Amino acid sequence: MFEGNKRKEGYTEESKLLIAKLKDKINLSKKTNKILYTDFLDISEMSEAKKFLKEEKISSYIIYGVREDADRNIIIFYSEKFSKEMVEKNLKNILQIIRIDFPANTSFEHREILSGIMKLGLVREKFGDIVIKDDFAQIIVLKEVADYLINNLKMLTRFRRCTLELKEISDFENKENEFEELKIIISSNRLDSFVSELAKTSRSVANEYIEQGKVFINGVNEYKTSKKIIENDIITIRGKGKFIFIGIEKETKSGRLLANIKKYK
């Protein structure tokens, strides 16, 4: 089932490795009657994981990333010994929040915080989304590395004037998504038409993006260029952004369609 390079329905070597890890977690959870979890998975890995879990009819798991519409999530597996409600109560023992309060009249961009973390040698899979508000940031992190991360972040020059504190996931302050309103003209509601306009590229390059697994519809890889996009579909193009299709405003005199889009900031 896991043979071949992934184009439209196969699996790459990376996908096979991910699936092998998922199988190990599932089997060990059943064997030991313990709650087990993955590292943080990005949108591509999560798409592969969801496909595998659906094919194998696995139901005893939770996908979680603390914040709504998280870009990175973990998968938590549990045995028949536990109920979903019991597992949800255990989430606080798996994840924590590192809160960074900025000095007055100072702010940090996402890339500055991310580069600081990576400078410490921590692999990207050990922490999830970095959420920045006006005067503070929150890093969602696996509890197993939380102490190491906060203690070493305090040593970095860029954060020495900041206040860093470990918080529970119940203390997470969600941030409402911010959007940029866009209008694009498309020839049809086919996926390749949307990707071409949203990525500001040719239709042939848009097709390559889709066929190479760089495009997701509602968090799931889509390889069909003729896929019809409907209202409220979320289109993610790796390296180009994340967009919501709001609807068609009107048809132009030439028969093309004026589409309303919201782009996540």
Side-chain angles (χ1 to χ4, degrees), residues 35 62 83-93 169:
I35 297 171
I62 295 173
S83 66
K84 183 178 180 180
E85 291 71 26
M86 293 169 65
V87 177
E88 289 174 341
K89 289 181 180 179
N90 194 60
L91 292 172
K92 63 183 180 181
N93 298 318
I169 56 174

Side-chain angles (χ1 to χ4, degrees), residues 2 31 48 72 75 77 87 110 159 176 193 205 214 263:
F2 308 116
K31 183 177 180 180
E48 294 293 341
R72 290 175 177 268
I75 305 178
F77 297 105
V87 177
H110 184 279
F159 298 125
E176 290 188 8
S193 184
V205 172
K214 296 180 179 180
K263 180 180 181 180

